[in-house]
Amino acid sequence: MDNVFPKNFLWGGATAANQIEGAWNVDGRGPATSDYARLITSETKKLEGTFDQHVPHNAASLEMIEDMDVHPENWTLPKRWGIDFYHTYKEDIKLLAGMGFKVFRMSISWSRIFPNGDDKEPNEKGLEFYDNVFDELHKYGIEPMVTISHFDIPMHLARKYHGFLSRYTVDAFVRYAETLFKHYKGKVKYWLTFNEINNILSNPYTSAGVIMSGAQHPNDCNPYLGHWQEKFQAVHNQFVASALAVKKLHAIDPNAKIGNMLCRLENYAESTKPEDNLQLLFEDHFNWFFTDVQAKGEYPYYMERFFKHNHIHIQMEPKDKQILREGTVDFITISYYMTYVMRYKGKSVAEPTGRLVSDIKNPNIPRSEWGWPIDPIGLRITLNKIYDRYHLPIFISENGLGAMDTVTENGKIYDDYRINYLHEHVYQLREAIKDGVDVFGYAWWGPIDLVSSGTSQMSKRYGMIYIDQDDYGHGTKKRLLKKSYYYYKKLIASNGADLEDNIDY
Ligand code: P53
């Protein structure tokens, strides 16, 4: 068997605090935006009408937030309980270690460390929890990769300062990051600043703690359009916050590395028409933009026309440009789930759609039960493009399939669809490495079932480890090993050489 994966390739999985920890008000943790993300099912969608089927939109409006505080019994808020990882991390890490994991991507809940986001002193109990998690991972030789901000902003910063719309939040973030770098120096080698930083275009609440007037209310208006002034200002502030964190880490712990995190939207033109290809270029720009700033250290030329055309004025402080130049990331990470189809919109100036799932169907590839196109070759294409553009090492910080699972009478889960997805994506990853792309790791999203980010559903399962828990938090919470558990274990043991599905389960 020919093998091309580097010897120390980091195989593993990825999670986020707000989707696994639960214990939302335990040991001094303060409330976060994710605690106000309601369950979305096909039923809620029908009731609320108007919205696109496949796009996550569980952000909260101010009215909803207030009602959730006064009448929590009227809402289903699954991120408050997650999978109770806060209490089960030992047994869960043991199961993950059983697959031979080399890396575990996780995030730190900001409001567990600083309950309001801007407190004078950190919460010792919070710091201690992650010390325990890191120690537990190291016990099994698993390297943590830690996202500093993954879709949970302290509610206090969201309500009082509009999250990252304000420079106040930038300062608070940098102090939070500095606290982490100092406290966990030597324990964490890989850091990421903001999860899917481009998610701001479709969901400023989730990404940046910006509660937008009206725009986020499910019955109000379409959140994908407009509000660009606020979105691009908030993301500028995140760029600065990210660059300052990069500089801090390099000063505090020169042995550690820090990366970006982009939800990579690989686009295809719907036809060979030049206009559709122009649209593809436009959409591509709105995706590259984020990593261009974080990896090259400056705003790319192509944004100027868009800003001017739309009267967007980004407020910069005198040193911002220098900070961005000095705070470029050490490596690139992407989440890769699917590809998109572009059709000309008849405009000569680009406009971001801000969608996370394409509304135009690609007839050449299948879709998941949640309508997400499945396109393994797109991964090879995208990895080549990224490497060509940045010449930096790449880590795949998310890839995976959300699906319904069925448990048989004797407690088995035959998830061949998940095995296929993994198989095909790792096959194309291997091709990309053969092409010469420098990839140093691969993290499956949600190796243990967790609460969905977009819909807060538990039934949208990604895991190789099943949890007996439903959308409403009911169930025995028992962990069961799916067929894919044994497949991934074998794949990792062979360092990606053995992709054959011959599991005796
Ligand atoms: P869920 C949309 C499209 C692509 C990636 O998503 C996305 C989203 C947001 O819903 O987010 C990432 O759980 C995100 C994770 C998330 C995962 O993809 O909606 O970084 O937090 O869970 C999968 O199925």
Side-chain angles (χ1 to χ4, degrees):
M1 245 177 292
D2 72 318
N3 202 7
V4 295
F5 286 99
K7 203 166 136 269
N8 297 321
F9 193 79
L10 294 172
W11 295 103
T15 60
N18 75 88
Q19 294 171 258
I20 60 171
E21 283 179 10
W24 73 295
N25 54 6
V26 171
D27 288 341
R29 182 183 178 280
T33 45
S34 50
D35 302 330
Y36 295 80
R38 72 203 190 284
L39 173 69
I40 309 272
T41 62
S42 44
E43 282 312 301
T44 22
K45 276 180 188 161
K46 255 184 248 152
L47 284 175
E48 290 172 354
T50 59
F51 270 123
D52 187 299
Q53 290 255 23
H54 307 302
V55 188
H57 50 81
N58 65 356
S61 65
L62 207 51
E63 297 86 331
M64 291 160 81
I65 291 166
E66 272 158 17
D67 198 53
M68 286 169 186
D69 277 335
V70 184
H71 297 292
E73 69 283 1
N74 291 346
W75 300 86
T76 305
L77 306 167
K79 286 170 187 161
R80 294 186 178 193
W81 58 76
I83 59 165
D84 202 29
F85 184 80
Y86 190 75
H87 296 112
T88 60
Y89 69 93
K90 281 194 182 168
E91 61 172 90
D92 290 341
I93 289 172
K94 189 174 177 194
L95 292 175
L96 295 167
M99 279 189 278
F101 272 29
K102 315 281 183 241
V103 70
F104 181 63
R105 177 175 170 238
M106 52 182 277
S107 74
I108 289 181
S109 158
W110 183 346
S111 61
R112 213 177 270 297
I113 308 296
F114 290 103
N116 293 296
D118 62 352
D119 311 68
K120 281 219 163 60
E121 297 299 328
N123 170 23
E124 287 301 324
K125 285 262 181 206
L127 289 170
E128 189 189 313
F129 170 66
Y130 297 103
D131 266 316
N132 294 340
V133 171
F134 298 147
D135 291 348
E136 200 64 22
L137 290 167
H138 286 133
K139 211 166 100 183
Y140 298 100
I142 302 174
E143 210 56 70
M145 180 179 280
V146 180
T147 318
I148 302 168
S149 179
H150 189 136
F151 295 173
D152 56 356
I153 311 286
M155 205 56 187
H156 171 72
L157 296 177
R159 295 192 72 156
K160 189 151 178 215
Y161 300 98
H162 303 288
F164 277 92
L165 248 190
S166 155
R167 288 296 280 223
Y168 183 85
T169 303
V170 175
D171 296 341
F173 175 87
V174 176
R175 226 166 58 76
Y176 158 56
E178 188 177 8
T179 306
L180 301 183
F181 299 155
K182 284 187 176 152
H183 189 87
Y184 300 117
K185 183 175 174 177
K187 279 197 187 186
V188 179
K189 276 197 218 154
Y190 302 102
W191 294 93
L192 307 178
T193 54
F194 291 98
N195 182 63
E196 293 191 338
I197 191 163
N198 53 316
N199 188 53
I200 185 114
L201 294 184
S202 56
N203 213 331
Y205 174 80
T206 306
S207 252
V210 184
I211 305 167
M212 296 181 69
S213 47
Q216 296 288 330
H217 196 281
N219 293 316
D220 251 358
C221 65
N222 187 335
Y224 309 111
L225 304 174
H227 301 285
W228 288 326
Q229 173 64 43
E230 288 91 337
K231 289 175 181 175
F232 283 97
Q233 183 64 54
V235 84
H236 172 74
N237 294 345
Q238 287 188 317
F239 287 148
V240 173
S242 171
L244 286 168
V246 170
K247 289 177 60 162
K248 288 262 183 225
L249 180 73
H250 288 160
I252 294 168
D253 188 356
N255 293 321
K257 300 250 179 281
I258 185 160
N260 75 322
M261 175 18 171
L262 175 77
C263 178
R264 176 62 190 145
L265 313 182
E266 184 58 44
N267 299 303
Y268 302 144
E270 189 184 31
S271 76
T272 50
K273 282 185 206 152
E275 290 84 354
D276 287 346
N277 281 277
L278 180 66
Q279 192 68 43
L280 184 156
L281 177 80
F282 288 164
E283 198 62 25
D284 237 10
H285 279 164
F286 284 111
N287 194 242
W288 291 128
F289 162 59
F290 298 86
T291 306
D292 282 354
V293 176
Q294 290 189 293
K296 296 181 175 180
E298 59 183 21
Y299 273 62
Y301 76 90
Y302 52 78
M303 291 304 284
E304 265 175 46
R305 185 170 180 185
F306 166 75
F307 288 150
K308 216 164 153 191
H309 186 80
N310 292 291
H311 311 288
I312 296 167
H313 299 285
I314 299 195
Q315 245 184 314
M316 293 205 194
E317 290 194 1
K319 282 206 167 146
D320 282 4
K321 284 192 174 160
Q322 189 191 338
I323 292 168
L324 295 181
R325 255 198 320 277
E326 292 173 355
T328 55
V329 291
D330 302 320
F331 62 96
I332 304 289
T333 92
I334 55 155
S335 61
Y336 174 83
Y337 289 93
M338 53 194 148
T339 50
Y340 301 77
V341 181
M342 292 302 136
R343 182 186 299 159
Y344 187 50
K345 291 187 184 145
K347 295 192 176 157
S348 62
V349 180
E351 253 178 31
T353 52
R355 306 181 77 88
L356 284 177
V357 181
S358 184
D359 49 352
I360 305 169
K361 287 202 170 70
N362 182 342
N364 304 298
I365 51 176
R367 291 187 161 223
S368 78
E369 287 161 289
W370 271 261
W372 292 21
I374 300 173
D375 184 359
I377 293 176
L379 176 62
R380 176 178 175 186
I381 297 171
T382 226
L383 288 172
N384 271 278
K385 284 192 191 169
I386 293 169
Y387 194 55
D388 193 28
R389 199 171 181 103
Y390 304 112
H391 285 281
L392 284 171
I394 303 168
F395 181 90
I396 299 168
S397 50
E398 286 181 29
N399 174 234
L401 175 72
M404 297 275 198
D405 286 331
T406 315
V407 186
T408 65
E409 265 174 34
N410 50 1
K412 301 238 167 158
I413 301 105
Y414 293 91
D415 56 342
D416 292 287
Y417 35 91
R418 198 168 283 111
I419 293 175
N420 279 341
Y421 187 102
L422 175 60
H423 176 147
E424 290 179 3
H425 284 79
V426 172
Y427 182 88
Q428 294 300 331
L429 162 60
R430 190 158 76 182
E431 290 299 305
I433 292 177
K434 282 190 199 166
D435 294 335
V437 180
D438 179 3
V439 185
F440 69 99
Y442 172 87
W444 177 265
W445 174 254
I448 180 163
D449 287 349
L450 40 67
V451 175
S452 155
S453 173
T455 64
S456 295
Q457 285 169 297
M458 189 69 202
S459 48
K460 188 179 187 186
R461 295 175 186 274
Y462 285 85
M464 283 112 185
I465 301 163
Y466 183 90
I467 302 182
D468 179 27
Q469 178 179 307
D470 68 13
D471 287 345
Y472 301 88
H474 303 135
T476 63
K477 320 277 156 47
K478 212 177 146 200
R479 274 68 170 151
L480 300 170
L481 306 183
K482 305 182 195 178
K483 188 179 172 192
S484 56
Y485 182 93
Y486 298 96
Y487 177 79
Y488 199 24
K489 180 179 175 153
K490 183 168 74 84
L491 186 158
I492 294 175
S494 72
N495 194 21
D498 180 6
L499 301 183
E500 207 188 327
D501 176 11
N502 52 2
I503 305 300
D504 187 15
Y505 175 64

